[in-house]
Amino acid sequence: MIPTCSRPLAVLASLFVAGGAASDTSREMQVEVFAQDFDAPWGLELLPDGRALVTERTAGLTLLAADGSRLATIENVPRSFVKLQGGLFDVVAHPQFATNATIYLSLAHGSQKHNTTRVVRAVLRDNALVDVTVIFDTEPKGTAVHYGGRLAFMQDGTLLVTTGEGADYREHAQRLDSLLGKVIRLDDDGTVPADNPFVGRPNAEPAIWTLGHRNPQGLAIDAKTGLVYAAEHGPRGGDEVNRIERQANYGWPIATHGIDYPGSRISPFDSYPGMREPVVYWTPSIGLSGVAVYRGAMFPEWDGDIFVASLGGKHVARVQMKGDTVVGRERLFEQMQARFRQIEVGPDGALYIVVESIGDRPRSGQILRITRSTGLPPAANSSRLSM
Amino acid sequence: MSVHRSIRILFAFVAAAFVGYVVASVLFTTVNLIRLSEVGAEISLTDAVRTIWFDLRGMAPSFIWTQYGSLIVIGLAIAFPVAALLRHLAVIANVASIGPWLYPLAGVVAIVMILVLSYQEYEVYAFAGARGWLGGLAQCFAGACAGYLFQVLTSRSEARS
């Protein structure tokens, strides 16, 4: 059940009070712990009926009620390869989930020497997955890092999947015969849409939608415009949010604003002809993960802004947008000293933030629900706090 | 051992480590640039020189022991005394002919140990320029160069004393 203890509230109480530089909106925000006690939560999907699904990288899939209480641990979830950054990643519902109860999961699959980023489709029935079907696998790699693994349905009903380049295979991000370091586009049954850009090109994987990515762990569709944004975890410097467009090349590893961990250059170029520049980037890195584009009635002043979860930087970054232009940045929840994994926008405009962990505390993963303090009445069984 | 000889050995070590690091760094960058060019990057000589210079400074030995340059210095500082001991034993065992190979071999072993241990620690190649057979061989060559130079400089020192 949901927060009855006072400790999360004490943490949250300090968020903006100690922040000092918080905006007016921040002061009006009401932060509640929607659900807690997760072990490395990774993905969150808000279902049409108000329930929610949460993945835990090391544990499995949990079904939450509309008030955040735990309904069930979902059974028959495919076994994932849990090591380093590997495990169970994202969950997304089919656009017609209300009628077909179909969901999609991404996960690391295989072994240390032979693992892939995998996507499975399944039907959620009686708190278990049935008709589990593998619809996508990258080619195998021998590292347990840089999987990508974020899922999102575009407004045309096709499924986007991000894949990482596996670190040691960084140049594969530029190769059309490799599925590593890409954004992949599939039909809902896993087949490749005929209008994908590289269909029919010799020695090219037809599922590729865009290329030149490092470790894109965030993917969001702008509900108003249909534009797609991906957040990409960079090396030392060069965390990026990119606007994803058909057939575009986002540069990694030829063009990057970051350098390699030993202090060497990854490439002579921070930009390169024919390769897309990010919408916004961070140097030094803040360790990007999930991304969301805010569209909602609850915070109209955030309309069109991009929210990014920061792992190493331990905050949520709000990128203020005016049209296509970045006009400002704001750091939220810094005082919490937590690793933020994912962000979703609820149908009522509330912001749901997945906290991977707080400090070194075991099972300290949470889902925060951000509402306006003058907004909706409290959800049942949930703790609230006006900031 | 005289102070004079100690200083000469120290000088030989510093010179060998310096040259070994420079060769390692230049080859590290070169291998990275080759890999980038293989996937379509057009890299001019100016770009290459600029990148080599950046990397030489970026990975240089420092008080941060995990820097690649620092690890090379530490690795050689362990490997060369071991090679010196083996040279001494080789003379006793009447196989002094292997002596000239020992310092270059020690340099290679030092580099291999750095790469293997760092891979075990991070479970990826911490040093991207050492990836693959070309990258690995290039780094081993740098270690061999350091060892060879150390042997040459210390042999001259021995000949004079």
Side-chain angles (χ1 to χ4, degrees):
Chain A
M1 287 290 292
I2 311 304
T4 50
C5 66
S6 59
R7 186 166 181 183
L9 299 179
V11 172
L12 293 173
S14 66
L15 290 180
F16 302 107
V17 177
S23 65
D24 290 344
T25 303
S26 297
R27 292 193 183 89
E28 293 173 12
M29 282 196 293
Q30 185 162 269
V31 183
E32 61 185 283
V33 180
F34 180 69
Q36 64 181 359
D37 298 332
F38 294 106
D39 184 23
W42 212 97
L44 169 69
E45 179 69 350
L46 304 168
L47 299 173
D49 58 7
R51 296 178 301 166
L53 287 165
V54 182
T55 59
E56 290 168 272
R57 188 177 62 80
T58 56
L61 183 63
T62 301
L63 182 63
L64 303 178
D67 64 359
S69 58
R70 287 176 191 255
L71 288 176
T73 299
I74 303 300
E75 296 177 1
N76 199 31
V77 174
R79 188 175 170 188
S80 52
F81 169 60
V82 180
K83 186 172 183 186
L84 296 180
Q85 297 172 3
L88 181 60
F89 301 133
D90 205 8
V91 56
V92 68
H94 189 280
Q96 280 82 49
F97 175 84
T99 54
N100 64 18
T102 299
I103 66 167
Y104 297 77
L105 292 168
S106 57
L107 54 115
H109 171 76
S111 61
Q112 172 65 49
K113 291 187 176 178
H114 208 78
N115 61 79
T116 68
T117 301
R118 168 170 284 190
V119 179
V120 300
R121 184 185 61 171
V123 174
L124 180 61
R125 185 182 300 156
D126 299 331
N127 297 332
L129 298 184
V130 296
D131 298 334
V132 179
T133 309
V134 176
I135 63 167
F136 175 77
D137 262 317
T138 59
E139 72 263 32
K141 59 184 179 57
T143 56
V145 296
H146 295 200
Y147 288 94
R150 196 60 75 182
L151 307 171
F153 271 96
M154 289 210 292
Q155 290 183 339
D156 66 359
T158 56
L159 176 66
L160 295 182
V161 182
T162 65
T163 66
E165 36 70 297
D168 287 349
Y169 308 81
R170 60 169 68 152
E171 290 81 11
H172 283 55
Q174 288 295 324
R175 287 173 45 173
L176 288 173
D177 61 351
S178 168
L179 292 165
L180 301 179
K182 306 295 189 304
V183 173
I184 302 298
R185 180 173 176 252
L186 303 170
D187 278 323
D188 63 354
D189 61 355
T191 57
V192 174
D195 61 345
N196 266 11
F198 302 107
V199 169
R201 183 182 291 199
N203 302 317
E205 288 285 351
I208 295 172
W209 185 244
T210 63
L211 64 151
H213 301 283
R214 183 176 183 266
N215 188 19
Q217 298 181 79
L219 191 60
I221 313 295
D222 184 335
K224 182 178 178 183
T225 64
L227 293 174
V228 180
Y229 292 85
E232 192 162 318
H233 197 127
R236 264 174 67 178
D239 285 346
E240 300 178 353
V241 171
N242 289 297
R243 190 176 294 118
I244 299 299
E245 294 177 8
R246 183 181 191 274
Q247 201 172 348
N249 184 339
Y250 292 87
W252 178 262
I254 292 175
T256 173
H257 292 276
I259 62 171
D260 217 343
Y261 295 111
S264 57
R265 289 214 70 142
I266 288 154
S267 161
F269 313 110
D270 54 16
S271 64
Y272 195 86
M275 296 180 182
R276 296 292 176 90
E277 281 288 292
V279 174
V280 57
Y281 70 92
W282 284 260
T283 297
S285 292
I286 60 172
L288 297 190
S289 182
V291 62
V293 180
Y294 188 84
R295 299 290 183 187
M298 195 171 287
F299 298 99
E301 65 274 33
W302 287 352
D303 188 55
D305 289 353
I306 297 170
F307 287 81
V308 191
S310 158
L311 294 162
K314 297 184 176 177
H315 67 275
V316 172
R318 174 190 167 211
V319 181
Q320 296 161 262
M321 302 294 291
K322 192 169 186 179
D324 288 346
T325 309
V326 176
V327 294
R329 300 190 202 186
E330 182 180 13
R331 288 173 169 238
L332 302 172
F333 307 108
E334 272 189 298
Q335 300 301 318
M336 204 171 162
Q337 281 299 297
R339 288 168 61 84
F340 294 95
R341 173 57 77 179
Q342 168 67 342
I343 303 172
E344 293 284 341
V345 180
D348 60 353
L351 208 59
Y352 291 80
I353 299 175
V354 177
V355 176
E356 182 181 84
S357 60
I358 302 172
D360 296 329
R361 284 195 286 141
R363 299 197 67 81
S364 57
Q366 299 179 337
I367 298 170
L368 304 179
R369 184 169 184 266
I370 317 300
T371 55
R372 190 181 285 281
S373 57
T374 53
L376 302 172
N381 295 326
S382 64
S383 300
R384 317 183 52 129
L385 186 67
S386 293
M387 295 297 156
Chain B
M1 191 189 308
S2 69
V3 173
H4 191 65
R5 177 161 161 69
S6 297
I7 290 172
R8 283 193 170 186
I9 290 175
L10 182 63
F11 167 76
F13 177 78
V14 170
F18 175 78
V19 168
Y21 168 68
V22 169
V23 174
S25 179
V26 169
L27 292 177
F28 184 107
T29 310
T30 304
V31 169
N32 265 343
L33 295 179
I34 289 170
R35 284 176 171 268
L36 289 177
S37 65
E38 285 174 349
V39 291
E42 293 181 12
I43 299 165
S44 68
L45 185 60
T46 306
D47 291 330
V49 170
R50 191 163 46 92
T51 309
I52 285 169
W53 176 237
F54 184 99
D55 290 357
L56 270 171
R57 289 178 297 148
M59 297 189 292
S62 73
F63 291 111
I64 301 170
W65 71 272
T66 51
Q67 283 276 101
Y68 192 43
S70 305
L71 289 173
I72 288 175
V73 172
I74 294 167
L76 295 178
I78 296 169
F80 287 168
V82 173
L85 179 64
L86 291 176
R87 270 168 65 101
H88 184 67
L89 293 175
V91 171
I92 294 172
N94 217 14
V95 283
S97 59
I98 67 167
W101 298 96
L102 288 175
Y103 284 123
L105 183 62
V108 171
V109 171
I111 295 288
V112 168
M113 291 308 294
I114 290 167
L115 299 180
V116 168
L117 293 176
S118 66
Y119 190 88
Q120 285 189 338
E121 173 66 20
Y122 300 110
E123 300 194 41
V124 294
Y125 282 99
F127 306 108
R131 288 176 298 160
W133 65 268
L134 179 62
L137 278 181
Q139 295 305 300
C140 289
F141 175 73
C145 287
Y148 178 72
L149 182 61
F150 185 75
Q151 183 212 303
V152 169
L153 294 176
T154 52
S155 296
R156 284 181 185 170
S157 166
E158 284 169 4
R160 285 175 191 163
S161 58

